[in-house]
Amino acid sequence: MTKYSDLQVHQGEDISFRLEIVDENGAVKDLTGLNARARFRKSYSSSNATTYSFSTSFGANDPTLGLLDLTLAGEVSDDIPRGRYVYDVFLLRDGSLDISEKILEGQIEVMPSVTSII
């Protein structure tokens, strides 16, 4: 079952979100043999719009813990125009682009930063 959550990103800041993936009974899901894909863009139907991607990795590099980290580097977020976007996160079968499961979706707001770090 897909969950919904709104996220916020400040331009120019490194950001990481940690997801704990559980099964329908609430037990930690073993993610062995799976990869993840997390992307966002202005709207679901905008086929010609720029699509941005989070880097994904398993928490503690151990897929049996059910932890998935979504990371966006500051140098990437700095180039994303401010505004609202839609995003989704999929689990994929290892070595394939076949979608296994959509686990999260929502809106992401990219906000400007007042202070820049030099």
Side-chain angles (χ1 to χ4, degrees):
M1 181 162 141
T2 304
K3 301 289 184 184
Y4 184 92
S5 183
D6 290 334
L7 306 174
Q8 293 183 336
V9 171
H10 291 272
Q11 289 173 319
E13 291 182 9
D14 294 337
I15 188 83
S16 185
F17 301 99
R18 175 162 278 180
L19 309 178
E20 181 181 29
I21 314 302
V22 296
D23 64 18
E24 59 278 351
N25 298 318
V28 170
K29 184 171 182 155
D30 184 351
L31 304 175
T32 301
L34 298 174
N35 288 318
R37 181 182 73 201
R39 296 181 178 165
F40 61 99
R41 63 180 170 193
K42 272 301 199 181
S43 74
Y44 289 109
S45 62
S46 57
S47 60
N48 62 346
T50 302
T51 300
Y52 303 97
S53 297
F54 286 97
S55 298
T56 60
S57 62
F58 296 117
N61 292 320
D62 185 354
T64 64
L65 299 177
L67 300 174
L68 178 63
D69 294 332
L70 310 178
T71 305
L72 192 63
E75 58 267 8
V76 174
S77 66
D78 197 36
D79 293 333
I80 299 172
R82 65 180 236 170
R84 285 201 168 96
Y85 298 80
V86 291
Y87 78 95
D88 49 28
V89 181
F90 286 92
L91 292 178
L92 309 170
R93 290 180 189 87
D94 198 16
S96 170
L97 293 179
D98 292 337
I99 293 171
S100 173
E101 182 181 3
K102 184 177 185 177
I103 57 171
L104 186 64
E105 67 181 348
Q107 290 188 3
I108 183 167
E109 184 174 3
V110 177
M111 301 178 298
S113 291
V114 174
T115 304
S116 62
I117 301 172
I118 300 176

